[in-house]
Structures are given as C-alpha cells and as structure tokens.
Amino acid sequence: MKENQKNDTIIAQSISVRDASLWYGDFQALKNISIEIPEKKITAFIGPSGCGKSTLLKCFNRMNDLVEGCKVTGNFLIGDIDIYGKVDVNELRKNVGMVFQKPNPFPMSVYDNIAYGPRTFGIHKRKELDIIVEKSLRQAAMWEELKDRLNKSALGLSGGQQQRLCIARALAVKPKILLMDEPTSALDPISTGKIEELCEELKESTTIVIVTHNMQQATRISDYTGFFLMGELLEYAETDEIFTSPKDEKTEKYITGRFG
Amino acid sequence: MVTKEKLGKALFVLGAIICIISAISIFVFLIIKSAPAFIKIGVLDLVFGDNWSPSVSDNYNNALKGSYGIFTMIIGTIVSTLGALTIGGVLGYFTSIFLVFYCPKKLKPIAIMIINLLAGIPSVVYGFFGISFLLPFLSKIAPNNGSGLLATSIILGIMILPTIISLSRVALESVPRQYYEGSVAIGANHTSTVFKIMVPSARGGILASLVLGTGRALGEAMAVVMVAGNFPTYPNGLFGSFRTLTANIVLEMGYAGEVQEGALIATGVILLMLVTTINIIFNKISIGTVKAIATTQNSNKIKTKTESILRKINFSKIGEIASKIAGITVAIILFMIVSFIFVKGLPTIINHPWFIFGKFQFGSEEITILPSLICTVLVAVISLIIATPIGIMTAIYLNEYAKKEGRLATIVRGAINILAGVPSIVYGLFGMITFVKIFGGTSSILSGALTISIILLPTIVRSTEESLKRVLDSLRQGSLALGAGKLRTILKVIIPSALPGILSAVILSIGRVVSESAPLLYTMGSVIKQIPSSVFDSGATLSVALYQLSGEGWYINEAYATAVVLIILVFALNLIAELTVKGLSKRLKGDTNEGKSKK
Ligand SMILES: Nc1ncnc2c1ncn2[C@@H]1O[C@H](COP(=O)(O)OP(=O)(O)O)[C@@H](O)[C@H]1O
Ligand SMILES: [Mg+2]
C-alpha cells in the first residue's frame, strides 16, 4: 500500500449486504444475498452444510481473497464504506476479527499469541503489551486460568482453552465486529457454555456474527437469525420470530430437525 | 504351505541381516585397519598434530620417518563446511521461502523439478565447473589460480543447495494453513505472516535441512579435491590452499606406504565420527521437530532497548526482498552451471561423434569414452543385481513382518541410517580393504560394483518401504480374507502395487551409480583403459573418467563433453523415473477401472 493513497477507515459497526453473489470458479456459492446486520447485536447464520454460511462470513473480512478463482459481486458495506472498495484489507481485518471453527493458536507462547496482533500494528512497548494481554484475557474470562502460564506454549492448552485464546487473540486488536464460524462445534458442552457467555458480554461493545449448527445455541445467544439454503438467504428476522413463527416452510422443517 | 511361509520370512530377515552386517563391518574393518596406525603414531599426535608429511617407506616395525598429524585437515574440513553452510545455507533458506511463498504458481513445479535434477548431478561435474569456470573467474581477484577456501565454500555451498531447499520447502509446506489464515485474519499482511508465523513454525524442519546439508558438505570428496588447493596446511585466508579429510584420502590412498595407509584409514575414521555426530544431531532434530514447535522461547527476557531499536528495521520486508533475490540468484547459478558446460561440451560431441562410440585405442590422441560407458553399465547392472533384492527383502521385512518397535527392526533401521550417512569416500576405503583385498589386491569392476551396491542399499530400502507403506491395508486384508497366505499376499498383491515406487528407486539408483566417483577411484580403477574383457578388469566409469580427464589438463574438450554426457544421463534417468511412476500408477489404476466396467 502506498502511503499517500487515501483509504477509507472503518468506524461503523453495522454491516449491510446488497445483492451479493459469489462464485468459486464456475460454481455460484452465494446468490443475490441482501442482509442488514445491526451493530452490537449477535446475528446467527444457520442452515445445512454447504449452503454458504462460511462463505458469506468470509466476505465480511475478505478472507475469500485468499481463495483462487473466487469472484464477488454486489455491495458489502460497513457503515457506509464499501469494504471491497478503497479499503486497506489488513486494516479491514484488524477491525473485523475472526474466530475459526478449528482453534488455530500459533505455535508460540500464550503471551505471544495475544501480542501478535498488537505487534503487527506497531505496538512493541512491553508495558502496553502487558496491559493488552491482560485485558484481552480478562475479556475472554481466562486471565485467572492462564496468568501463571503466559510463557507456556499455547499448543499445550485444551481445545476449549485454545478456542477462547483465539477469541482473546482476536480481541487484542479491538475489533469492531467479530465473526465466528462454528466456534464451538469442536468443543465440549462446558467450554461451549463459556464461549456463549463470552459472546453475551462482548455484545456490549462488539457486533457479533456467528455461524452455528446448533439450534439451541442460536436461540440462546442470538438476537437475529438468518436461514440459508443452497446459497440463498431464505429468511432473516429476529431470532424469536424465526424460531416461533417461521414464514418459510423450509425454515420450519430445518429448525425442527426434519432436514439438513 | 507352512514351510514355504517360513522360508519366505527367513529370506526377508536375511536381507535385513545383510544390512546390519554391512553397517557393522564398515566400522569394524576401518577400526581394525586403522588401529595399528593410531597406536604407532599415537592418537593425540595423529588427531592433534599439524604436520602431515608421510614417508612411503614407513612401516610398523621401524621408527617413523614421516609425520602424520591431520589436525590441519580437521580444521580445513570444519571451516570449509562452515563456509559452505554460510553460502548454501543462507541461499537455500531464502530460496525455499521464495519457492513456497513468493514463487509464481506456474513456475513452481518447474523450479522444483530442476532442483531435484540438480541433486542428481555428479559431484565431479560440480568440481569440474569449479575448475573450468569458478577458478578462472576468481583468479582475477586472487593472488593465485583462485583455488582455496572461498572456491571450495562456493562449490560445496551450491552442492548442498538442493538438499537444503527440498527439505526446508517440505517443512514450510507442512505448516498448517490455519496458522496462515489466523494471522491474516488479524490483519497481518502476507510478508509479515510468512516471517513471523510460517517460518518460525517450520524452524525445526529448516534446522534439520541445514544439518543434513552440513553432513553432505563434510563428506564431499571429489569436488573439494578439484578446487581446494590441497596443501596440508591450515586454511589461511579466502584463497589459502588447504586440505580436507576427504581430500587427504583421495589424494594419497593410491600410492600410500604401510603406515601412511593406516593413517589415511584413520582419517576416514575421524571423518566418519564427525559425520555420525552430525547425523545423530539430525535424527534428534527430526524427531524433536514437533516438540520444538510446541516449546517456545521466553520472550520476556529480551531487553526492551535493543528490541525497540531492532523494531525500527522491518525484518519481514528485508526477508521478502532477500527471498526474491535468493530465488533469482539460485536460478542464475543453476542455469550458468548447466549452460556453461553444454556450450563448451556440445560442439565436441557434435563434431566428433566418435568421441562417444568410436573405436578405442589406449594411449592414442583421440580418446573415446566408450570403455567408460561400458564400465558404467557393468557397474550399474552388477550393483543393482546385488542391492535390489537385498533392499527389497529388507523393506518387506520392515514393513510386513517386523513389529514397529521390535528390537531387530530398530537395529535394522539404525543400520540403514548409518549406511545412508557414511560419506562415499569412506565406502571407497572400505571397498579397498575388503573387496579389493579379496580379489587379489588389484582394483576391478566387480570390487567397484560390490562397494557401490552397499551405497545403494539404504536408498532402495527406504523408498521401497515408503511405497509398501502406501499400499492400502484393505488390499492386504482383502487378500488374506480370501485365504491367501502372507507370503502369497506379499508376492501377488503387495509387491505389484508397490512396483512403481520400487522401479523408480531402482532407476534413481542407476543415477547414483553414474554419479559416484570417490568410492570407485581405488576399488575399480581410474584409468580409461581398453574395453573391459571381464568383471575382473579395472576401468573408469564416466564420472571417474571426468575426474581423470579434467586433472590431466590437455583433454579439456573431452572433459567438457564427458560432463555433458553425464548431465544428460542423470537428467534422463530422473525423467524416466518420474514417468515410470506416473505411467505405472496409471496402468494400475486403468486395470482396475477396466475390471469394473467389465462387470
Ligand atoms: N474454496 C472453495 N472452493 C470451491 N468451492 C468452495 C470453497 N469453499 C466452499 N466451497 C463450496 O461453496 C459452498 C458453500 O460452502 P460453505 O460456505 O463452506 O458452506 P457452509 O459453511 O454453509 O457449510 C459449498 O458447496 C462448498 O463446497
Ligand atoms: Mg462452514
């Protein structure tokens, strides 16, 4: 990136998608999606495997750029800034954090994992980093658990701890939006509960979009729910509404467990 | 039935035992043959003495007239290896990063293929390139003809490049993609992700590649002899003449007196100890890689002041630039070597085709390489006839019979590791004090082939075992479930499915035979004589012939032409090996498809 090239900075926390489609080569994975995701709420994406939930999620931080032959049309706005326009993609990803399905801590110490993001963005003073690390771990409710093993390898943690560490790592760069792609699918119920609690707390400052296969999880934590099928957004409404009185027959079938 | 099964198993165990015996006898023979020298000269005087001036008339019964200290050569070996590591290690490290993270997609497979081919180029060809290109080039700035430490480090550095690049590349490619995604998702760019996450995660494997490269450089003989200058002194400056342990053996073994011969074998023992140490480190690192990734340094201890100064330098960016420069440099070097030799050598072949196939007359002006070609073929055929069955038998024992952690299996694997690590000049020594002695004291094609066959064993065992491992268990069980015995299952189902891998190992072994020279020099002979009339004749293979021609000075055109023939041969063998694997695997698959459609 050239210094003088002026980029739009992301300040808003809401996402709006207008008539978006996406192709992996010849295969169309998203079909004319439009959706408004409100700020500081939890929005859940549900739907059978392969319907495009992860794909849409990865549009929000442009992780799809890494996929060869991936083509996107339509508009993705955060506030009123087009994220496929004049935006520095690294800056975008700093503001739109992501937690993956499989925990992916780096092969470093707990401390270095969390400090990695801040260091990437130029914070190197030990004291500042100490503060950020502690704060992020507290936010992820792991400070007490981990404060004595900050210098131990992150790969030695349990699966649930690793995933919460990844959340803390994402929080360390103070994202405005947090994307979570089935963050609990590989975890035990106790760890899952902890992460759900965490989401509830984070919601006060952060917009969360979470992909989940677990209907109970969607009802427990989300404010809005979108139901996807074969690359289309079939229904999108407040979570209560979707689960109590779905408009689409297919939605009803899915949430009552009759297909998918 | 049962006896047949037992016989089969006994045969496979026999292969494994031959491997063990080979490994042990190398050590035992070298030690027995060098012990009198160690005693006569004194261990300390031999290892730490820095005067090497042997006397041919010295024997074990009389007082010594000469001095036999090899310390200058130990230092020479270590220093030139470090030089090679500085050049080849740095270039190889950055080139592997370039290949994995910055190389254009379309270029990558070609680059990888070329690097694999370069691994097969005979060391005499590298040495010859040193003599004919590098030395004249360096002589412009050197007080001498250009030979010495710098030239040796450069040539060795280039020679260890393929090893370092291939292994580091594999290490970098096996870093989980999730690490990359995790870092990019935080907002780190490609380059800082590469240098802060991917490269550190692969450091175990990269370190292992450097150690393996070190082993190669330590054990290299012929190329070093051709460019080091070879005075038995400490390396003194970049152009100071010096001698390595390997060179000492190559240079003097041919006409050594009694004590001198013992001291040269002792040189081999010291070399073997150095290399074995490196190999043990290598195995430790390879095993420890996973652990190395999991344990991390304590970053608290870095002093913040130097840290903040260092922060101002953008290391990732520098790394990116270095990687690109390294990639281009390596491409240029490799292109230069091959094109230089071809430009110089092809005209001779085109203008004088009889150079390859013409009638040979010893001592005439017009030499031909026909005798060398025939010698090479003979050595290849004989050594493969010996090594292939033993290697396959051992691999079958390891994969199909041995218990994973069984004692015999562990010993066999250890023996294979040892054999793989022994420098080829040490094999030459071994061949000299065993096979050559057995066959009447003069070198012969048979002795050479026997020596080479031991060198081939580890490669054949390892690649056969690899392809056996890839045979699906369902095939094994399918055959056993039909009531076929274990032996029948192995012979009829498992070996045929592993055939492509085995065949390619055999073809690549031919490449090895073509390129080896150090072990043949004193087991088989080094003079291009007449076309051999029996396997008890002595003779030079192509590589040895190139060494001989390039040393004599007035056959320089013929030397270039021989180098061209060697490179073409090695490349062709590599290609054939690759095509065999592809073609045969396709045939195997094709057959099963036909079978399906008929139903
Ligand atoms: N990198 C890719 N290349 C090609 N096709 C892909 C890729 N990623 C996903 N797809 C395809 O796009 C569709 C949607 O995938 P995804 O978004 O991962 O579904 P979900 O997360 O809802 O299970 C699937 O049919 C999948 O096979
Ligand atoms: Mg998904």
Side-chain angles (χ1 to χ4, degrees):
Chain A
M1 275 300 133
K2 279 184 200 137
E3 292 283 337
N4 55 2
Q5 186 180 332
K6 208 162 176 275
N7 287 318
D8 292 324
T9 21
I10 287 150
I11 17 181
Q13 291 190 277
S14 63
I15 307 173
S16 39
V17 180
R18 295 183 193 148
D19 198 25
S21 293
L22 181 146
W23 287 263
Y24 289 120
D26 294 333
F27 172 72
Q28 185 170 8
L30 295 179
K31 296 168 188 159
N32 308 89
I33 306 258
S34 294
I35 186 172
E36 300 287 331
I37 295 171
E39 61 174 9
K40 296 183 190 172
K41 297 276 188 245
I42 299 180
T43 302
F45 289 176
I46 61 169
S49 275
C51 65
K53 308 176 296 284
S54 302
T55 299
L56 180 60
L57 203 67
K58 282 192 274 178
C59 289
F60 299 156
N61 64 348
R62 290 183 51 180
M63 284 300 275
N64 282 326
D65 290 10
L66 302 185
V67 179
E68 218 176 311
C70 173
K71 203 181 84 204
V72 183
T73 63
N75 290 326
F76 289 84
L77 307 176
I78 293 182
D80 53 5
I81 291 165
D82 180 359
I83 59 172
Y84 280 85
K86 264 193 324 192
V87 171
D88 174 33
V89 82
N90 298 319
E91 193 66 22
L92 168 74
R93 289 178 186 149
K94 175 180 178 242
N95 284 300
V96 184
M98 184 163 216
V99 176
F100 298 79
Q101 179 170 1
K102 212 172 136 230
N104 58 351
F106 302 134
M108 313 168 168
S109 66
V110 169
Y111 186 99
D112 287 338
N113 258 281
I114 302 202
Y116 179 78
R119 280 177 175 145
T120 300
F121 295 100
I123 299 174
H124 295 296
K125 291 224 178 66
R126 191 75 203 183
K127 276 190 194 133
E128 276 180 66
L129 287 175
D130 285 348
I131 294 169
I132 294 175
V133 169
E134 178 171 347
K135 195 174 157 217
S136 310
L137 282 174
R138 279 195 194 284
Q139 270 186 295
M142 320 183 74
W143 177 248
E144 294 303 325
E145 268 167 86
L146 292 185
K147 67 180 181 201
D148 295 326
R149 45 194 295 194
L150 292 178
N151 290 313
K152 294 266 165 59
S153 169
L155 300 188
L157 302 178
S158 73
Q161 285 176 318
Q162 287 190 0
Q163 189 63 303
R164 283 184 292 140
L165 179 73
C166 289
I167 298 177
R169 188 178 72 190
L171 295 177
V173 290
K174 303 200 188 77
K176 303 194 165 66
I177 298 168
L178 189 60
L179 310 174
M180 306 176 100
D181 192 353
E182 303 191 37
T184 60
S185 64
L187 305 182
D188 58 280
I190 294 174
S191 304
T192 301
K194 283 187 180 158
I195 286 178
E196 288 179 5
E197 269 172 46
L198 188 57
C199 290
E200 297 282 0
E201 282 162 29
L202 286 175
K203 181 168 113 170
E204 286 177 15
S205 57
T206 317
T207 306
I208 294 177
V209 187
I210 183 169
V211 172
T212 178
H213 256 123
N214 181 330
M215 295 309 111
Q216 280 80 33
Q217 185 166 64
T219 48
R220 274 198 302 266
I221 63 171
S222 72
D223 304 296
Y224 294 85
T225 297
F227 173 63
F228 292 79
L229 193 62
M230 317 264 287
E232 288 179 65
L233 175 61
L234 273 204
E235 198 166 345
Y236 177 55
E238 283 190 32
T239 301
D240 291 342
E241 202 180 316
I242 287 248
F243 281 92
T244 52
S245 49
K247 298 216 168 51
D248 196 297
E249 177 192 7
K250 294 195 192 92
T251 314
E252 186 179 354
K253 273 193 183 155
Y254 180 73
I255 59 180
T256 53
R258 270 178 279 160
F259 85 98
Chain B
M1 275 306 276
V2 176
T3 48
K4 228 189 206 171
E5 290 283 333
K6 275 197 179 144
L7 207 70
K9 181 172 177 183
L11 212 60
F12 300 132
V13 173
L14 181 69
I17 287 173
I18 293 177
C19 288
I20 299 174
I21 293 175
S22 306
I24 293 176
S25 41
I26 287 180
F27 281 83
V28 169
F29 272 91
L30 285 182
I31 289 169
I32 291 178
K33 283 290 186 171
S34 63
F38 273 114
I39 293 165
K40 179 89 184 173
I41 300 161
V43 175
L44 287 182
D45 284 343
L46 203 158
V47 177
F48 294 108
D50 57 7
N51 181 14
W52 175 268
S53 44
S55 163
V56 181
S57 57
D58 272 345
N59 59 38
Y60 291 123
N61 302 321
N62 301 334
L64 290 179
K65 278 181 268 167
S67 312
Y68 299 89
I70 62 169
F71 197 63
T72 56
M73 302 169 216
I74 295 180
I75 296 298
T77 301
I78 292 175
V79 172
S80 60
T81 299
L82 287 178
L85 208 56
T86 315
I87 295 170
V90 172
L91 262 184
Y93 171 84
F94 283 112
T95 304
S96 64
I97 296 175
F98 171 79
L99 271 181
V100 178
F101 297 110
Y102 295 102
C103 183
K105 273 256 161 61
K106 283 189 185 138
L107 225 62
K108 195 176 161 184
I110 303 172
I112 291 172
M113 199 175 81
I114 293 177
I115 287 167
N116 286 341
L117 290 178
L118 283 160
I121 291 188
S123 48
V124 275
V125 172
Y126 282 107
F128 180 60
F129 174 76
I131 292 183
S132 55
F133 182 89
L134 186 65
L135 295 191
F137 181 78
L138 287 178
S139 70
K140 287 176 192 147
I141 51 165
N144 60 355
N145 70 342
S147 65
L149 184 59
L150 181 64
T152 310
S153 301
I154 292 175
I155 290 295
L156 279 179
I158 295 174
M159 291 179 72
I160 63 177
L161 270 177
T163 310
I164 294 178
I165 296 176
S166 319
L167 254 74
S168 298
R169 179 175 67 81
V170 171
L172 286 169
E173 279 173 350
S174 34
V175 175
R177 201 182 149 70
Q178 288 96 300
Y179 292 171
Y180 184 87
E181 288 176 351
S183 168
V184 170
I186 288 175
N189 60 27
H190 178 71
T191 290
S192 69
T193 301
V194 168
F195 286 94
K196 301 242 164 76
I197 300 289
M198 306 306 275
V199 175
S201 304
R203 66 185 161 219
I206 294 176
L207 196 65
S209 81
L210 293 176
V211 176
L212 200 65
T214 308
R216 290 273 150 83
L218 277 181
E220 177 50 41
M222 304 308 273
V224 172
V225 170
M226 293 160 98
V227 294
N230 300 326
F231 287 125
T233 50
Y234 291 113
N236 174 19
L238 288 180
F239 298 105
S241 181
F242 73 105
R243 187 184 283 190
T244 61
L245 294 169
T246 51
N248 201 30
I249 302 170
V250 173
L251 290 165
E252 300 195 0
M253 201 62 194
Y255 56 87
E258 194 180 37
V259 176
Q260 190 181 2
E261 182 177 303
L264 289 173
I265 297 172
T267 310
V269 171
I270 301 294
L271 175 68
L272 198 55
M273 278 162 59
L274 268 179
V275 174
T276 309
T277 314
I278 292 291
N279 285 334
I280 290 172
I281 296 175
F282 170 74
N283 287 332
K284 281 263 153 58
I285 291 178
S286 310
I287 296 164
T289 303
V290 186
K291 281 184 202 153
I293 290 174
T295 55
T296 46
Q297 79 289 24
N298 187 337
S299 47
N300 272 334
K301 285 180 184 137
I302 302 169
K303 284 282 161 288
T304 39
K305 256 194 188 159
T306 48
E307 207 178 353
S308 68
I309 296 167
L310 289 177
R311 288 300 171 206
K312 298 230 166 71
I313 310 167
N314 187 342
F315 282 110
S316 301
K317 192 73 201 166
I318 295 173
E320 177 185 344
I321 294 166
S323 303
K324 287 177 179 165
I325 293 175
I328 293 167
T329 311
V330 169
I332 292 173
I333 292 175
L334 303 181
F335 178 77
M336 235 165 47
I337 295 179
V338 175
S339 59
F340 175 76
I341 287 173
F342 268 72
V343 167
K344 293 276 199 170
L346 263 187
T348 307
I349 296 179
I350 293 166
N351 297 332
H352 310 281
W354 48 260
F355 167 71
I356 297 180
F357 294 116
K359 187 171 174 310
F360 181 81
Q361 279 178 309
F362 185 62
S364 80
E365 279 297 292
E366 304 194 326
I367 54 165
T368 87
I369 55 171
L370 186 60
S372 305
L373 271 174
I374 293 173
C375 282
T376 311
V377 172
L378 279 175
V379 174
V381 171
I382 300 172
S383 59
L384 279 169
I385 286 179
I386 300 167
T388 313
I390 298 177
I392 294 178
M393 273 152 44
T394 308
I396 290 176
Y397 167 74
L398 282 176
N399 200 57
E400 307 293 331
Y401 288 93
K403 292 187 197 77
K404 236 187 185 167
E405 307 290 331
R407 196 184 297 160
L408 183 57
T410 314
I411 298 174
V412 176
R413 276 180 223 283
I416 299 290
N417 283 342
I418 288 172
L419 287 176
V422 172
S424 43
I425 184 68
V426 173
Y427 278 110
L429 278 179
F430 175 71
M432 226 187 133
I433 57 183
T434 51
F435 304 128
V436 174
K437 290 272 151 72
I438 292 171
F439 297 118
T442 51
S443 49
S444 65
I445 293 173
L446 187 58
S447 299
L450 283 166
T451 310
I452 290 273
S453 63
I454 307 180
I455 298 183
L456 298 182
L457 267 182
T459 323
I460 295 181
V461 172
R462 281 177 173 174
S463 18
T464 305
E465 205 193 345
E466 273 314 303
S467 36
L468 289 176
K469 266 188 203 148
R470 262 177 268 136
V471 176
L472 295 176
D473 259 343
S474 59
L475 278 184
R476 276 188 192 91
Q477 284 153 10
S479 168
L480 293 173
L482 288 173
K486 190 162 184 172
L487 186 61
R488 192 179 162 75
T489 304
I490 290 171
L491 295 180
K492 297 283 165 178
V493 178
I494 296 174
I495 293 186
S497 342
L499 207 55
I502 297 175
L503 260 179
S504 105
V506 168
I507 296 168
L508 289 176
S509 297
I510 303 178
R512 185 81 189 263
V513 176
V514 171
S515 55
E516 281 294 356
S517 46
L520 294 174
L521 216 45
Y522 299 123
T523 53
M524 177 166 161
S526 57
V527 183
I528 313 178
K529 295 204 297 193
Q530 72 279 21
I531 290 168
S533 54
S534 84
V535 294
F536 295 104
D537 271 3
S538 71
T541 64
L542 274 179
S543 288
V544 178
L546 172 58
Y547 174 67
Q548 213 59 16
L549 289 174
S550 64
E552 286 172 6
W554 44 74
Y555 291 120
I556 197 74
N557 284 331
E558 286 76 5
Y560 280 118
T562 311
V564 170
V565 174
L566 273 171
I567 293 181
I568 292 177
L569 259 179
V570 171
F571 280 17
L573 285 168
N574 263 291
L575 235 116
I576 294 172
E578 206 158 292
L579 294 179
T580 316
V581 173
K582 276 194 189 137
L584 267 184
S585 330
K586 236 185 231 161
R587 271 257 303 278
L588 285 176
K589 275 181 203 149
D591 282 347
T592 49
N593 282 345
E594 265 171 39
K596 266 179 205 161
S597 59
K598 269 176 200 161
K599 281 177 199 167

